[in-house]
Amino acid sequence: MNTTIRRLSIFCLFMFLVLMVNVTWIQGLQAPAILEDPLNKRQFAEQISAPRGPIQAGGENIAYSENIAEEGRSPRYQRIYEGGQIYTPIVGSFRNFGASGIEAVTDDLLNGSDDRLAVRNFRDMITGRDPEGAQVQLTLVPEVQQAGYDAFAGLGGRNGAAVALDPKTGAILGAISYPSYDPTPVVDINNPGDSTAAYVQLENDPNKPLLNRALNERYPPGSTFKVVTAAAVIENLDATPDSTIAAPDLLEFPSGPPLPNAMGSCNGGQPDTLAHSIQISCNTSFANWAMEVGGQALSDQATAFGFNPEEQLTVPLSVVDSYAPAEQDTSILGRAGIGQSNVESTPLQMAMVAAGVANGGEVMRPYVVDSVRDSDLSVITQTSPETHSQAVSARTADMLTEMMVLVTTPPEGGGTNAAIPGIEVAGKTGTAENGTDKTHNWFIGFAPADDPQIAVAVVVEFGGGSGNELAAPVAKALMEAVVL
């Protein structure tokens, strides 16, 4: 009997110790993680009891907190978003079960808990002033965002993305992902069940409105990549716009199907100049140029523009990597030279290519947060432009610009729909195969060509047309929002 009691006592003691260890683990070691868990409703209740700082673009609030509590009750701050769907791919949303976009990556600053606000918070506690988060000021230009969104809305339901950069600084002037979503229904704090259901519906939408296509989707860049190939040829083979190479109507490879020219004959089947091949987007000549310069040199040139990064780029939103591997097989390399094969790029990366050419060969690091200011407008952080890489020499950039201007120049230019009357525009179209019967359609470029103020990249998913037909008008709208 005593043995049974002793065993039962030992078992109870063991269970008691397990319970104590579990409580210690949860309340001690796991406390920070539980506190920060976005599914912690208590945490969300605390967060909406104080105003988050605003997010601004063009000096105006595009996201801010508004007290919706009845008079005499404890404050409850609802997040308000101006502009509907236009800014959501970058700004994101602050919900009762998580956050996205700038709302997520600058959360500590917006809710006031960042260590850099400690002095301010202590002062507010002493003076009894209500706490408030910092202001996050973005580089986005409202006119650019609106122009890009409206242009996509006019494409008859086609999806896609566009990025506009200031080539001299790297500031992101516009980042459009279409379709987007209006965050208002998913941030309703009065009806959390409805807001969750609205978000689940967005997650299940086959058009992927939650996906930021501008930063987080890769596409074959098609003929826009010919700018990179041309840069490699000039830098490594001492070529010029007048240099020629064979441009047959049909190019045979050691393996795989032959490569045709989408626009027919480039130069009557005769060798074509680099400049004319850019102007009319000749496939066979550029495939030959790629095989001539070699897979490693072509990949290295792409890397200089930002492809194949050693570390993931952040703006501060994360950006998926773009790839242009060093091909050894000439059949694959030839197609890589025209932006097919294993070449994949985000719209941001192709905007960096255009911006690098526009900026004399110097690629600036892209960024979307201009500054963060305290509630009294004192500066907490200020982004300073910095060089990402020197992709090509100024001489090469000048030659690339000269050839890209031909693309928007009638009658032979392949991208005349991006031309702006009275302003010289440099550009390059692209029509990229993707394994379906509908191509992706691209345009990259900058304006004015002699004093660039904006560089752009536009992709229309499965547009089934040409870059000039579908992407160039979107690019024109973006550029006009800045230069006119």
Side-chain angles (χ1 to χ4, degrees):
M1 186 70 175
N2 290 338
T3 301
T4 302
I5 293 174
R6 187 163 50 251
R7 288 175 177 173
L8 182 61
S9 298
I10 292 172
F11 177 76
C12 290
L13 177 62
F14 175 74
M15 294 301 295
F16 180 76
L17 289 174
V18 169
L19 180 62
M20 291 298 295
V21 169
N22 185 57
V23 170
T24 302
W25 174 260
I26 292 175
Q27 296 189 352
L29 299 178
Q30 280 196 314
I34 294 173
L35 179 63
E36 295 174 3
D37 192 324
L39 298 179
N40 185 340
K41 294 184 178 180
R42 181 174 178 179
Q43 178 200 26
F44 183 73
E46 291 179 356
Q47 289 183 341
I48 64 174
S49 66
R52 288 169 70 81
I55 300 173
Q56 298 185 334
E60 300 293 332
N61 290 345
I62 56 176
Y64 59 94
S65 295
E66 183 177 273
N67 186 7
I68 61 171
E70 296 178 3
E71 187 175 352
R73 291 182 175 271
S74 298
R76 299 177 73 247
Y77 287 93
Q78 172 71 60
R79 202 63 168 160
I80 306 296
Y81 294 93
E82 300 290 350
Q85 310 174 73
I86 297 174
Y87 297 102
T88 312
I90 294 296
V91 172
S93 57
F94 176 71
R95 311 175 299 276
N96 66 342
F97 49 88
S100 59
I102 292 296
E103 290 276 25
V105 299
T106 62
D107 183 54
D108 288 349
L109 289 160
L110 290 169
N111 67 29
S113 65
D114 191 277
D115 290 342
R116 287 166 290 186
L117 300 173
V119 173
R120 192 283 309 270
N121 291 337
F122 179 75
R123 181 192 64 204
D124 289 347
M125 182 179 66
I126 297 298
T127 61
R129 182 186 177 197
D130 292 335
E132 184 178 354
Q135 299 179 9
V136 175
Q137 300 181 344
L138 305 181
T139 59
L140 299 179
V141 176
E143 292 81 4
V144 173
Q145 284 291 120
Q146 186 71 60
Y149 191 85
D150 289 347
F152 267 104
L155 290 179
R158 292 178 173 91
N159 301 340
V163 176
L165 299 174
D166 181 337
K168 296 181 177 67
T169 66
I172 298 176
L173 307 179
I176 296 92
S177 181
Y178 193 91
S180 179
Y181 70 98
D182 183 350
T184 301
V186 303
V187 301
D188 186 356
I189 63 175
N190 285 329
N191 301 285
D194 291 345
S195 64
T196 301
Y199 194 82
V200 171
Q201 185 176 3
L202 292 171
E203 287 184 313
N204 295 328
D205 190 327
N207 284 314
K208 301 180 180 179
L210 298 178
L211 173 64
N212 186 337
R213 290 168 163 85
L215 308 183
N216 296 319
E217 186 73 327
R218 288 187 290 260
Y219 306 87
S223 292
T224 58
F225 191 75
K226 290 173 182 174
V227 174
V228 178
T229 304
V233 168
I234 297 170
E235 292 277 294
N236 291 275
L237 302 180
D238 200 27
T240 70
D242 294 326
S243 297
T244 62
I245 202 167
D249 293 343
L250 193 69
L251 179 62
E252 299 284 349
F253 291 112
S255 62
L259 178 69
N261 284 312
M263 304 303 293
S265 183
C266 295
N267 189 33
Q270 299 302 308
D272 199 13
T273 65
L274 188 61
H276 189 250
S277 294
I278 282 279
Q279 183 180 19
I280 65 169
S281 201
C282 182
N283 285 340
T284 59
S285 62
F286 264 95
N288 276 326
W289 278 122
M291 292 185 286
E292 180 74 14
V293 77
Q296 190 61 58
L298 182 60
S299 179
D300 289 347
Q301 183 61 76
T303 300
F305 276 110
F307 286 79
N308 314 313
E310 293 183 358
E311 297 181 0
Q312 186 181 39
L313 177 66
T314 59
V315 295
L317 302 175
S318 61
V319 180
V320 300
D321 296 342
S322 297
Y323 297 109
E327 305 291 1
Q328 302 302 317
D329 187 308
T330 56
S331 302
I332 298 175
L333 175 57
R335 292 181 173 87
I338 63 169
Q340 297 285 173
S341 185
N342 297 314
V343 181
E344 293 186 320
S345 177
T346 62
L348 174 62
Q349 175 58 70
M350 291 313 300
M352 290 170 65
V353 171
V357 175
N359 196 41
E362 183 180 11
V363 181
M364 303 302 291
R365 182 179 178 85
Y367 63 96
V368 75
V369 174
D370 178 66
S371 64
V372 178
R373 295 175 181 268
D374 207 338
S375 54
D376 62 2
L377 299 184
S378 60
V379 177
I380 299 172
T381 66
Q382 177 73 55
T383 303
S384 297
E386 60 180 87
T387 300
H388 180 273
S389 61
Q390 185 69 40
V392 294
S393 67
R395 174 178 173 272
T396 297
D398 287 343
M399 284 191 278
L400 291 171
T401 299
E402 173 189 334
M403 294 186 289
M404 291 172 70
V405 167
L406 297 175
V407 172
T408 65
T409 304
E412 276 199 276
T416 54
N417 284 338
I420 301 174
I423 295 176
E424 206 169 48
V425 176
K428 183 69 193 78
T429 57
T431 302
E433 296 179 356
N434 50 61
T436 74
D437 60 352
K438 290 189 175 182
T439 56
H440 297 322
N441 307 122
W442 282 87
F443 184 90
I444 67 171
F446 53 91
D450 59 349
D451 182 24
Q453 299 173 33
I454 178 173
V456 301
V458 177
V459 62
V460 179
E461 286 184 2
F462 307 108
S466 68
N468 187 43
E469 176 191 357
L470 297 174
V474 179
K476 178 182 179 181
L478 293 170
M479 292 185 286
E480 285 182 331
V482 171
V483 301
L484 292 185

